[in-house]
Amino acid sequence: MMKYMKKWQTQQKAVIILLLFYIPFHLWLTPGYWDDAVFAGVLEKYQFNLVQYTMDRYLTWSSRISIELLIPFLTSAPNFVWKTFNLLMIMLLYFDLRWTLKAVVRIESEKVDIWLALLLCAYPFSTMAQTGWIATTMNYLWVVALGWYVINRLLNTVLQRDRVSKKDFLFVGLAAFYSTAFESMAAILLLITMGIIVYSYKKKYKISGLVWICMGITIFMLVYIFMCPGNQLRPLKDAELWMPDYYRLTFLDKIRVGIGSAFMHFVSIPSPIFFVLNLSFLILGIRRECCAVTGKRRSAWGLLTAAIPMILDVVWTCYFLLSYLRGERTVTYHVPSAIPAGQAEIIEQIFLVLSVIAWFGSVIYIMFQNLHIQRSVCITCILFLACIPEIAVGITPTVYASILRTTIYLYMAMIIMIVGVCYELEMDTQRKLRFIYSFCFGCGIFLNACQIARHILLYG
């Protein structure tokens, strides 16, 4: 009983940390610009005829029916309504991460609660205002939080063999209907539910009705998405607006632009979470190769592999910093040109793609060399699932407009990876490591606060 109470108190502290960080910004910010302003006029424009509104969106623009049915109401309601729900979604995201680490990655530690809270405070929340606070969060933050909640509940029926209540059927069904309206989350949920069904058959487990219901919702939404005329028309409009050269690109060109756009987000302006992740792999590799207690021989290759993620991060960040100082770029997130203008841009983009390949290769090698095999497999699967939205948006003409907010999937995977490595390093018992990580977490939270404050001052 005392152990349970202590654990609950630790989670309460983590929730309090998140609320203390995010509540002041939610009180300060003012939604209502860009897409928020457009959606705020929908109810009056259509005179509350939501059927006609949904048909128009379906035929001309989007298949995200459940999301776009709610946005007009929240953009028209008093701001505190959306702010309250958004804070709840941040809390849900924290519990999503916590459950995944405990049940899937097999990490059980009271310190994890605080680490998660601090890392979520370092997440660049200003990306959730790219098209307006309400529209962006409801399409990305809410989709991730609710979709992850569905995944956790489905995995719970297999890994924990929990009984499903009527309340679960209601809440999970509604969350699935909302989150699968977003194309990438529908694809992820389809893969997860198929994996659960195959695993259950292999183990001869009875498959919960909840799994079949979510599978049915997901398939229905995917059919709805693929048949949507608006989803076929939207790329034409996006190409005209954001990337006029899109239809001149080959498939490999689109992959190049997508990969480069995602990687440039993390290095063109320093990303604290990406930096801490690379630092974690460096420390993990050094400990394995240089620590005498491991009983292993030192390996120059092992040390180099552990250093590759950090080297790539530092070198590319310094490269962009020099570009800013020389006046070649403005201090903002950057994306690669669809068609490189000259030899210098071609070389830059080649090295960007090679850097991403090297980063993934070294990260996977380090994890499988240093972490428990089951933990390594789980984290690798989470990382590749998080890449699905990046790949999906990367090969579309909306990559320049959407890649920034889509990084939320990769950021959540990176947070899980950081916690996994910190747990392996036994950070909570190592005084020097605690100091290093506390300093990095503090700098990351401060930088995030500055970015949020800047966006609020500029836009609201």
Side-chain angles (χ1 to χ4, degrees):
M1 183 65 179
M2 290 297 295
K3 183 178 180 181
Y4 174 79
M5 290 297 294
K6 187 176 180 182
K7 178 182 176 182
W8 177 243
Q9 289 173 359
T10 307
Q11 290 185 350
Q12 282 182 319
K13 291 177 183 178
V15 170
I16 290 171
I17 289 172
L18 284 170
L19 291 175
L20 287 176
F21 180 80
Y22 279 106
I23 283 179
F25 291 113
H26 278 71
L27 293 175
W28 184 16
L29 63 85
T30 306
Y33 57 89
W34 298 335
D35 283 4
D36 290 356
V38 174
F39 281 108
V42 163
L43 296 179
E44 182 179 351
K45 177 181 177 181
Y46 283 89
Q47 298 179 340
F48 286 85
N49 187 343
L50 297 181
V51 174
Q52 186 61 50
Y53 159 69
T54 302
M55 288 179 62
D56 287 349
R57 296 291 292 182
Y58 178 76
L59 292 172
T60 62
W61 191 250
S62 172
S63 59
R64 299 174 187 174
I65 175 173
S66 52
I67 300 171
E68 295 192 346
L69 278 174
L70 285 179
I71 294 179
F73 287 97
L74 287 183
T75 50
S76 303
N79 290 338
F80 80 87
V81 177
W82 165 79
K83 291 179 180 181
T84 302
F85 278 112
N86 202 58
L87 287 168
L88 291 174
M89 289 297 170
I90 294 173
M91 299 304 108
L92 177 60
L93 193 57
Y94 159 77
F95 285 107
D96 285 338
L97 286 163
R98 187 66 191 87
W99 187 93
T100 301
L101 284 164
K102 177 184 176 182
V104 180
V105 188
R106 304 294 182 183
I107 292 178
E108 182 63 44
S109 171
E110 294 173 1
K111 298 293 183 180
V112 167
D113 298 319
I114 306 300
W115 300 347
L116 279 180
L118 294 175
L119 286 166
L120 281 174
C121 289
Y123 166 70
F125 187 67
S126 56
T127 59
M128 288 293 103
Q130 196 182 7
T131 60
W133 288 106
I134 298 177
T136 310
T137 52
M138 291 185 68
N139 273 283
Y140 292 88
L141 176 63
W142 292 28
V143 165
V144 172
L146 291 171
W148 206 334
Y149 164 73
V150 173
I151 292 169
N152 287 345
R153 294 304 300 154
L154 295 180
L155 290 174
N156 218 28
T157 64
V158 177
L159 301 178
Q160 308 292 339
R161 307 303 297 156
D162 280 1
R163 295 183 63 182
V164 180
S165 65
K166 293 180 180 179
K167 183 176 65 176
D168 286 327
F169 277 100
L170 176 62
F171 289 154
V172 174
L174 290 174
F177 181 63
Y178 182 91
S179 57
T180 54
F182 198 93
E183 303 84 2
S184 299
M185 185 55 73
I188 291 173
L189 269 172
L190 179 65
L191 291 174
I192 295 291
T193 50
M194 288 174 63
I196 289 173
I197 291 171
V198 171
Y199 179 83
S200 298
Y201 273 122
K202 185 177 179 180
K203 292 289 184 178
K204 297 182 179 179
Y205 291 156
K206 181 181 178 181
I207 301 173
S208 169
L210 189 64
V211 176
W212 293 115
I213 288 175
C214 289
M215 170 71 89
I217 292 173
T218 303
I219 292 174
F220 170 79
M221 293 304 296
L222 282 170
V223 172
Y224 185 81
I225 289 167
F226 283 119
M227 292 181 64
C228 175
N231 287 343
Q232 300 172 27
L233 293 175
R234 184 176 179 180
L236 300 173
K237 298 178 182 178
D238 280 340
E240 182 180 353
L241 180 62
W242 300 106
M243 194 187 292
D245 296 322
Y246 177 76
Y247 290 102
R248 294 171 55 193
L249 303 178
T250 65
F251 181 75
L252 290 178
D253 286 330
K254 296 171 186 176
I255 293 291
R256 165 182 56 81
V257 173
I259 290 175
S261 299
F263 186 71
M264 286 174 78
H265 163 79
F266 296 107
V267 295
S268 60
I269 290 182
S271 168
I273 291 179
F274 189 59
F275 178 83
V276 171
L277 177 63
N278 296 327
L279 176 65
S280 300
F281 286 128
L282 177 61
I283 295 172
L284 187 64
I286 289 175
R287 192 189 72 163
R288 178 180 184 272
E289 299 298 337
C290 298
C291 186
V293 297
T294 61
K296 297 181 182 292
R297 290 193 312 169
R298 296 186 180 187
S299 166
W301 167 250
L303 287 172
L304 176 62
T305 305
I308 284 175
M310 179 59 76
I311 291 172
L312 292 173
D313 188 7
V314 172
V315 168
W316 277 107
T317 300
C318 290
Y319 170 77
F320 284 107
L321 176 61
L322 290 174
S323 297
Y324 301 147
L325 295 176
R326 290 199 302 261
E328 298 172 2
R329 287 182 167 95
T330 56
V331 183
T332 185
Y333 295 112
H334 285 282
V335 291
S337 303
I339 298 179
Q343 194 71 25
E345 281 195 12
I346 293 174
I347 295 173
E348 178 185 271
Q349 294 195 31
I350 289 173
F351 276 104
L352 276 171
V353 174
L354 292 177
S355 296
V356 173
I357 295 172
W359 187 89
F360 272 92
S362 59
V363 161
I364 293 171
Y365 175 82
I366 295 166
M367 285 196 296
F368 278 89
Q369 285 292 314
N370 295 276
L371 303 182
H372 187 276
I373 183 66
Q374 183 180 356
R375 189 169 295 145
S376 299
V377 170
C378 290
I379 293 177
T380 301
C381 289
I382 291 171
L383 176 61
F384 279 102
L385 282 174
C387 289
I388 290 177
E390 301 293 328
I391 295 171
V393 75
I395 60 176
T396 66
T398 191
V399 57
Y400 289 167
S402 301
I403 199 71
L404 190 60
R405 48 191 182 264
T406 310
T407 54
I408 185 173
Y409 293 87
L410 276 178
Y411 270 116
M412 295 305 109
M414 288 178 183
I415 288 174
I416 289 176
M417 294 167 75
I418 291 171
V419 174
V421 175
C422 288
Y423 183 78
E424 182 69 26
L425 291 171
E426 300 177 338
M427 188 183 81
D428 54 325
T429 63
Q430 303 291 328
R431 188 174 180 180
K432 290 182 179 179
L433 282 181
R434 285 205 310 271
F435 175 79
I436 292 172
Y437 276 93
S438 297
F439 178 77
C440 291
F441 288 165
C443 291
I445 293 169
F446 176 75
L447 179 59
N448 183 32
C450 291
Q451 288 179 316
I452 298 172
R454 175 183 176 273
H455 190 97
I456 294 173
L457 289 171
L458 288 175
Y459 305 110

